[in-house]
Amino acid sequence: MINLLYCGNYKVFDGVLISLLSAVKQTKEAVHTYLLTMDLSDVDENFKPISEEQRKYLENMVKEKNASNSVKLIDITTLYKKSMLNSKNLRNHFTPYAQLRLFADIVPEIPDKIIYLDTDTIVNSNLRQLYYIDVNNYELACVKDLYNWLNPNRWKVRGYFNSGVLLLNMKMIRKTKLFTKARQMVATKKMISPDQDALNFIVKKKLMLPEKFNSKDKYYDEIVVHHFCNVRKKGNFFFRVKPWMVDLVKQKMNAYDSLLDEYLERKKTFEETQEKKKAPKKEKLVEINKNEPEKKEPKPEKEKAEKTEKDTTIG
């Protein structure tokens, strides 16, 4: 059994659909997926939670591959608002949903060991290779980041890592209070990449993994998790390509063509189903059978009485 964690609002559906589909296609073992979400529509109209309809569709999809697969949706709106509504990082170039992974330690349903994946990832190989790495003596396992030079504070961190793919030892994290401390830092200190910076500055016990577990650029066969955080558009270095940008991905690589074609079909099916649910129900029209004899209206009582009187008159 492999445990997976994603976080986000309703807009991450496409990313989760691709990532989770790739995970269950590559991994025959049962995959239990947890979706952390929240409703912050009072802060921003786009900050709406992942819907139950989206969860149901994802679960039906993964059960096609293995009946033991599951998808659980967990709303942590109350938990987030309690500690982060006045956070200095509520608004930056990342949405507050990126911080939800930091609440995993206080969500009872989250198991003791779990893989966290960003929603712009594609699983290219069996997740057993990552999940069964021994992290009993570590808080987490991770892969080095590409941009530790962006912030001088990061220069002090030996092995600054990318938080888009993490193997989490939740049992130890709860014990060391890593996520609790990270939440406190995010709430009080302005940072470029709040959750990632906080984890890097605070973590004490981390296991550095080979690049294939969080590959951030070009495709190669040995990749286990391909993280589309640094895949650039052809001819435009400043444009980052995401998995759901199907045509642009296919211009860069062809390894995921069949996966992305299936994604498009499944997305279409989901959207059509949702449109049917939204469509107003038409009232059924009663068809009149023209061949049926015309029913005569009963005559008024007064008319009946007059007819009876005429019929009984003796003349």
Side-chain angles (χ1 to χ4, degrees), residues 13-21 57-58 61 263 266-267:
F13 178 72
D14 286 57
V16 175
L17 175 55
I18 295 170
S19 183
L20 189 51
L21 178 61
Y57 185 82
L58 292 171
M61 176 187 76
Y263 148 70
R266 290 184 178 276
K267 179 185 177 181

Side-chain angles (χ1 to χ4, degrees), residues 6 9-10 12-22 24 31 33-36 50-66 69-73 119 263 266-267 270 274:
Y6 296 98
N9 63 355
Y10 75 103
V12 303
F13 178 72
D14 286 57
V16 175
L17 175 55
I18 295 170
S19 183
L20 189 51
L21 178 61
S22 67
V24 296
V31 176
T33 304
Y34 299 82
L35 307 174
L36 292 189
I50 297 170
S51 69
E52 175 60 16
E53 288 78 11
Q54 290 173 328
R55 184 207 68 81
K56 283 182 180 178
Y57 185 82
L58 292 171
E59 182 166 76
N60 289 336
M61 176 187 76
V62 298
K63 282 186 177 297
E64 291 175 18
K65 307 298 180 182
N66 185 330
N69 289 342
S70 65
V71 178
K72 186 176 183 64
L73 180 62
T119 57
Y263 148 70
R266 290 184 178 276
K267 179 185 177 181
F270 175 75
Q274 295 307 300

Side-chain angles (χ1 to χ4, degrees), residues 26-267:
Q26 294 288 350
T27 309
K28 304 307 177 187
E29 189 171 345
V31 176
H32 296 300
T33 304
Y34 299 82
L35 307 174
L36 292 189
T37 193
M38 64 178 170
D39 186 352
L40 285 187
S41 54
D42 52 343
V43 175
D44 186 308
E45 62 179 8
N46 291 312
F47 292 170
K48 298 174 184 176
I50 297 170
S51 69
E52 175 60 16
E53 288 78 11
Q54 290 173 328
R55 184 207 68 81
K56 283 182 180 178
Y57 185 82
L58 292 171
E59 182 166 76
N60 289 336
M61 176 187 76
V62 298
K63 282 186 177 297
E64 291 175 18
K65 307 298 180 182
N66 185 330
S68 297
N69 289 342
S70 65
V71 178
K72 186 176 183 64
L73 180 62
I74 305 171
D75 190 308
I76 62 169
T77 304
T78 302
L79 287 176
Y80 185 89
K81 286 186 172 182
K82 186 176 179 180
S83 60
M84 291 290 194
L85 200 55
N86 297 314
S87 167
K88 289 192 175 182
N89 294 285
L90 181 62
R91 291 184 179 277
N92 62 11
H93 60 286
F94 293 103
T95 74
Y97 291 88
Q99 301 160 24
L100 293 190
R101 74 197 83 180
L102 300 180
F103 288 82
D105 62 325
I106 53 176
V107 176
E109 296 93 332
I110 299 298
D112 287 343
K113 189 177 186 181
I114 194 166
I115 296 172
Y116 168 81
L117 294 180
D118 272 356
T119 57
D120 58 349
T121 53
I122 291 180
V123 177
N124 188 58
S125 189
N126 198 321
L127 279 175
R128 288 179 56 89
Q129 299 175 65
L130 174 58
Y131 189 77
Y132 288 106
I133 292 173
D134 185 0
V135 288
N136 285 330
N137 297 317
Y138 302 93
E139 293 164 296
L140 53 82
C142 51
V143 176
K144 187 177 179 180
D145 192 52
L146 295 173
Y147 298 109
N148 61 335
W149 49 267
L150 283 175
N151 183 346
N153 290 324
R154 295 178 179 179
W155 302 347
K156 305 172 187 176
V157 178
R158 184 178 180 182
Y160 184 92
F161 61 86
N162 180 277
S163 64
V165 180
L166 299 171
L167 177 58
L168 301 171
N169 179 354
M170 295 306 305
K171 192 172 183 179
M172 182 173 283
I173 286 172
R174 290 181 176 114
K175 183 178 179 180
T176 63
K177 299 189 181 301
L178 170 62
F179 283 3
T180 301
K181 296 171 184 176
R183 290 195 301 271
Q184 291 170 349
M185 181 176 283
V186 170
T188 58
K189 185 177 180 180
K190 189 72 175 177
M191 291 176 281
I192 296 176
S193 304
D195 60 291
Q196 181 169 290
D197 283 341
L199 287 174
N200 272 278
F201 296 155
I202 296 171
V203 68
K204 299 299 182 185
K205 298 179 179 181
K206 64 187 178 187
L207 176 64
M208 300 304 294
L209 300 176
E211 198 259 355
K212 69 177 182 178
F213 290 107
N214 184 355
S215 181
K216 307 166 196 69
D217 193 355
K218 297 179 181 179
Y219 174 86
Y220 54 93
D221 290 342
E222 293 76 21
I223 291 175
V224 177
V225 179
H226 200 166
H227 186 191
F228 280 63
C229 61
N230 194 48
V231 178
R232 311 286 177 159
K233 181 181 178 181
K234 276 190 175 182
N236 186 350
F237 177 81
F238 298 100
F239 188 99
R240 299 191 186 201
V241 176
K242 297 299 181 181
W244 50 88
M245 301 174 184
V246 175
D247 291 338
L248 295 180
V249 174
K250 288 184 177 182
Q251 289 176 19
K252 296 282 292 186
M253 60 197 80
N254 299 113
Y256 305 125
D257 284 6
S258 62
L259 170 71
L260 296 179
D261 288 342
E262 184 175 349
Y263 148 70
L264 290 176
E265 286 298 319
R266 290 184 178 276
K267 179 185 177 181

Side-chain angles (χ1 to χ4, degrees), residues 262-303:
E262 184 175 349
Y263 148 70
L264 290 176
E265 286 298 319
R266 290 184 178 276
K267 179 185 177 181
K268 181 181 178 182
T269 300
F270 175 75
E271 290 176 343
E272 288 176 348
T273 302
Q274 295 307 300
E275 285 302 316
K276 287 179 181 178
K277 288 181 179 179
K278 291 178 183 177
K281 294 182 179 179
K282 296 180 180 179
E283 293 184 8
K284 291 184 179 180
L285 298 177
V286 179
E287 293 185 1
I288 300 175
N289 189 343
K290 294 181 179 179
N291 297 322
E292 185 178 336
E294 185 179 349
K295 294 181 179 180
K296 295 182 179 181
E297 293 292 330
K299 294 183 179 181
E301 293 297 324
K302 184 178 180 181
E303 185 178 335

